[in-house]
């Protein structure tokens, strides 16, 4: 093939969620509120777990780490998307695009493994309760968190390796609100069929292997819970419901996007919004609504801050407003 003097693409154009001008202000308000609620909700969980000694257990340690990861999942692209609602030309530099790709796979890869770790924690707590504190020691919990971040880093590094050296010299329009890796690779100046297959295989393997481990773990746990009848098992069922709901909400869109090859771009956009915005905001809601210990700790935390006057009235009304 004859060599052509192409200039390297320095920026990409994000087409966003919609090109309808009348929808941009609505999207700006809605997603701004969702993002603020997501960040505050997850940081409240982190603060609650760290401040209440009763929540200094393996399950809540992992939950706090999940909330931290959820803040990352919500933040890698959402602020940029919100800002883009106010401008007509939604551009992103090549380096910033690679950064988005790096962080989305870092956070989502870490979250997948962290959810598996949380399933293992519940398995030990329910199936081997007498050995729970011995098996799930502080050291083991820290190792599980390190493993989750390590797997996320290896995953995102392997994904970037497919992209960073691709020649981008022509089309630069990405039909999404962030630099979604499969869409970006399609813009390269070479045939990316093999690269696309490797990307799907990489993400698909991590998603499916984590999901299968979760299915096996929760199946064993549910069988154990069904064969036992006690007050503790009733509490375990409530906790399991929250865990399984979070797993379904997170893995459903991820598996559909990266494993199912026939989804359209419009469907991918909806699912991308779901796992980058709605899942991170639903996680704290699901865990707190079904967990009396967390709700009790939040109530005490609220009372303490309100009494000491360390939180402004505005923040109090926003964070701790309760329905009458």
């Amino acid at each position: 093939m004859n060599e052509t003097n192409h200039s390297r693409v320095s920026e990409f154009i994000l087409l966003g969620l919609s090109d309808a001008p009348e929808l941009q202000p609505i999207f700006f308000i809605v997603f701004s509120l969702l993002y603020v609620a997501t960040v505050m909700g997850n940081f409240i969980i982190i603060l609650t777990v760290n401040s209440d000694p009763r929540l200094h257990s393996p399950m809540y340690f992992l939950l706090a780490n999940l909330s931290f990861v959820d803040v990352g999942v919500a933040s890698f692209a959402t602020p940029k998307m919100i800002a883009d609602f106010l401008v007509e030309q939604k551009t992103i530099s090549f380096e910033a695009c690679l950064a988005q790709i790096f962080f989305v796979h870092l956070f989502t890869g870490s979250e997948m493994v962290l959810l598996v770790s949380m399933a293992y924690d519940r398995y030990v707590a329910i199936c081997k309760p007498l050995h729970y504190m011995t098996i799930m020691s502080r050291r083991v919990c820290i190792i599980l968190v390190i493993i989750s971040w390590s797997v996320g880093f290896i995953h995102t590094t392997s994904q970037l390796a497919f992209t960073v050296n691709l020649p981008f010299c022509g089309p630069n329009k990405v039909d999404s609100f962030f630099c979604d890796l499969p869409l970006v690779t399609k813009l390269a100046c070479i045939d990316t069929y093999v690269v696309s297959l490797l990307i799907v295989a990489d993400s698909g393997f991590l998603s499916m292997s984590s999901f299968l481990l979760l299915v096996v773990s929760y199946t064993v746990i549910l069988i154990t819970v069904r064969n036992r009848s006690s007050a503790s098992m009733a509490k375990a069922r409530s906790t399991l419901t929250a865990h399984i709901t979070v797993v379904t909400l997170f893995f459903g869109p991820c598996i559909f996007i990266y494993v199912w090859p026939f989804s359209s771009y419009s469907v991918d956009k909806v699912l991308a919004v779901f796992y980058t915005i709605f899942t991170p905001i639903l996680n704290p809601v699901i865990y707190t609504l079904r967990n009396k210990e967390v709700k009790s700790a939040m109530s005490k935390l609220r009372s303490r801050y309100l009494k000491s006057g360390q939180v402004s009235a505005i923040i109090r009304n926003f964070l701790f407003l309760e329905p009458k």
Side-chain angles (χ1 to χ4, degrees), residues 166-192:
L166 287 177
F168 296 95
C169 51
N172 66 339
K173 293 184 178 180
V174 181
D175 191 14
S176 184
F177 62 92
F178 72 98
C179 285
D180 196 6
L181 183 55
L183 300 181
V184 172
T185 55
K186 292 180 184 296
L187 302 177
C189 300
I190 60 173
D191 183 8
T192 57

Side-chain angles (χ1 to χ4, degrees), residues 50 54 70 81 93 120 138 153 173 261-262 269 302 305-306 322:
N50 288 330
R54 296 177 304 168
D70 277 335
M81 178 186 68
S93 68
Y120 176 70
R138 183 75 173 180
F153 181 78
K173 293 184 178 180
F262 307 110
K269 282 185 183 181
R302 176 189 61 186
Y305 277 108
L306 288 174
E322 292 182 356

